[in-house]
Amino acid sequence: MDLFTAVETRRSVKHYDSSAQMSPGEFYNLIQATMLSPTSYNIQHWRFLRVTDLALRSELKGAAWGQQQVEDASELIILCADINAWQDRPERYWADAPKEAREVLVPMLTNFYHGKPQLQRDEAIRSCGLAAQTLMLAAKAQGYDTGAMVGFDPQRVAELINLPEGYLIGMMIVIGKARVAANGRGGQLPMDEVLFENSF
């Protein structure tokens, strides 16, 4: 699918065909594409938790206030991020770069985030946002619908998935085939209200 078509036709779907399944190849391609999402200093904060256990899905539906798509979608991904990834063996993020680049970038990365907890958290959330959009557009390009979800009790979800210390939950994303088409767009702001040049 053409990228602009994917952007235009991707909509947040709430009702899924519970019998639809992604093939292993489609799922692999989806995650491979998502892993190419940009991150600051190539830190790759994101961690993708694929939930396939039906009993856990049912419990997660409860934590999401009964939203049925948590159970019915072909795939449920809980998109998380490691806030402390910046300091976890940062040389890994530049392992394939020339030695000269590594020697500059790894200390630069460490110095940039050290002692700045708000920046560390902000960067992890930015990485989740970028990965989420890549995932949803890649799913659409393969003919699947998606929905990004923040309507859930994050503390309960963290308990259910045994979220590691230092991780945050960015969102949940459901992926599958729509059983009911998405509603029309609610209304886009005009471009002159959102696009500015040089200053506000």
Side-chain angles (χ1 to χ4, degrees), residues 139-173:
K140 191 64 181 173
Q142 294 188 97
Y144 288 91
D145 299 295
T146 57
M149 300 178 60
V150 295
F152 54 85
D153 177 346
Q155 185 173 352
R156 179 62 180 144
V157 171
E159 291 168 0
L160 288 168
I161 66 172
N162 194 29
L163 187 73
E165 187 175 348
Y167 279 40
L168 59 79
I169 298 173
M171 67 193 78
M172 296 198 293
I173 300 179

Side-chain angles (χ1 to χ4, degrees), residues 47 82 84-93 109 167:
R47 302 294 180 262
D82 180 358
N84 300 309
W86 66 276
Q87 63 182 348
D88 181 10
R89 296 162 290 148
E91 66 279 359
R92 296 180 300 155
Y93 311 133
L109 179 167
Y167 279 40

Side-chain angles (χ1 to χ4, degrees), residues 24-173:
E26 288 171 324
F27 185 79
Y28 177 84
N29 290 340
L30 180 68
I31 300 303
Q32 276 289 108
T34 305
M35 288 175 62
L36 297 177
S37 302
T39 57
S40 179
Y41 286 100
N42 200 37
I43 294 173
Q44 303 163 69
H45 304 79
W46 12 254
R47 302 294 180 262
F48 310 104
L49 182 65
R50 182 187 192 187
V51 183
T52 57
D53 182 276
L54 298 181
L56 179 56
R57 286 253 203 136
S58 180
E59 288 193 85
L60 288 165
K61 182 179 86 169
W65 307 305
Q67 295 184 77
Q68 190 60 42
Q69 65 266 39
V70 173
E71 280 188 322
D72 288 350
S74 305
E75 297 288 343
L76 173 64
I77 304 292
I78 304 178
L79 180 48
C80 304
D82 180 358
I83 299 169
N84 300 309
W86 66 276
Q87 63 182 348
D88 181 10
R89 296 162 290 148
E91 66 279 359
R92 296 180 300 155
Y93 311 133
W94 294 97
D96 296 334
K99 182 175 181 281
E100 298 77 18
R102 282 198 311 272
E103 289 175 348
V104 171
L105 288 166
V106 173
M108 188 184 295
L109 179 167
T110 304
N111 292 335
F112 187 69
Y113 292 104
H114 182 76
K116 301 172 188 164
Q118 185 64 53
L119 177 61
Q120 294 162 18
R121 182 177 176 80
D122 289 350
E123 204 65 75
I125 291 170
R126 274 191 283 271
S127 293
C128 277
L130 289 164
Q133 186 68 4
T134 302
L135 187 149
M136 290 188 289
L137 291 177
K140 191 64 181 173
Q142 294 188 97
Y144 288 91
D145 299 295
T146 57
M149 300 178 60
V150 295
F152 54 85
D153 177 346
Q155 185 173 352
R156 179 62 180 144
V157 171
E159 291 168 0
L160 288 168
I161 66 172
N162 194 29
L163 187 73
E165 187 175 348
Y167 279 40
L168 59 79
I169 298 173
M171 67 193 78
M172 296 198 293
I173 300 179

